[in-house]
Amino acid sequence: MDAPGSLGARYRARRWDWLCAAFPGLDRMSVIDLGGTAESWHRAPVRPARVHIVNLEKPPADPPPWLRADHADACELPEEILAGGYDLVISNSVLEHLGGHARRRMFAAAVHRLADRHWVQTPYRYFPVEPHWVCPGMQFLPPPARATVARHWPLVHTPPEDRAAALRAVLDVELLSRTEMREYFPHSRIVGEKVAGLTKSLIAVKRS
């Protein structure tokens, strides 16, 4: 799914096309990416004037001048970041990993405060294939069954070392519905990214 030329790579490229079309001045913007990585911006087809990535992972050791990276929780951002004066908030495939409704509300509040514009993408709960394990219907199973699938499904990226790790992994993923996205982003356009006529992911887009 992550290899160049793969189906996943083609979907990401198409998403970049949509992003650039939605924000044609992206190359002149100051962007904060909640949950983003330096690697993804190095591969990006467009480079904003300034990019600030916020992630729970260790920041890159030597970022380029146009990129800032901070280790922080996007649901509990420090005031210095919240007051950063950004043009656009971007987040891809993060909302489903935050750990419940209350934290998703905190995340959405931060998005609204950081900038007038945003692009927040998350996989759609009712797409028939669970995207993290690429397994049909896995998201509709009870947690013990999902943990079993996580340990044995052949398309998993990195098989968990034991059942406890598998259970933690599946509980870390809570796919969202369109109703939930409208609740968190009531003034945004909720766009469906489709595959074979079915909605694969949801994107909350606010242009101003």
Side-chain angles (χ1 to χ4, degrees), residues 46-204:
V46 61
R47 178 176 298 170
R50 182 166 67 99
V51 176
H52 184 181
I53 59 175
V54 176
N55 205 310
L56 292 175
E57 298 179 358
K58 183 179 178 180
D62 188 22
W66 52 270
L67 179 68
R68 172 183 170 184
D70 278 315
H71 178 276
D73 184 341
C75 299
E76 300 181 56
L77 291 172
E79 188 63 31
E80 181 266 335
I81 294 179
L82 287 170
Y86 303 96
D87 298 313
L88 174 66
V89 182
I90 291 176
S91 182
N92 284 295
S93 298
V94 171
L95 198 56
E96 73 273 19
H97 295 289
L98 296 177
H101 171 67
R103 282 180 54 81
R104 288 193 290 270
R105 284 178 62 96
M106 293 167 67
F107 178 91
V111 169
H112 297 314
R113 182 172 173 187
L114 285 163
D116 291 334
R117 305 176 184 91
H118 59 246
W119 169 283
V120 179
Q121 179 270 349
T122 190
Y124 181 48
R125 178 183 297 160
Y126 298 107
F127 186 66
V129 178
E130 204 291 331
H132 301 83
W133 284 271
V134 199
C135 180
M138 179 180 171
Q139 67 270 39
F140 305 120
L141 299 174
R146 277 186 279 150
T148 298
V149 172
R151 292 190 70 192
H152 301 291
W153 184 249
L155 298 182
V156 65
H157 285 242
T158 305
E161 59 185 19
D162 55 30
R163 184 168 181 81
L167 186 58
R168 287 194 298 271
V170 299
L171 291 177
D172 182 56
V173 179
E174 298 175 289
L175 300 183
L176 277 72
S177 67
R178 192 179 292 268
T179 298
E180 288 166 305
M181 285 292 278
R182 288 193 181 115
E183 169 67 19
Y184 301 134
F185 303 100
H187 304 296
S188 309
R189 181 185 176 203
I190 308 301
V191 179
E193 179 185 18
K194 293 184 180 293
V195 174
L198 300 175
T199 300
K200 176 181 177 290
S201 69
L202 301 172
I203 308 170

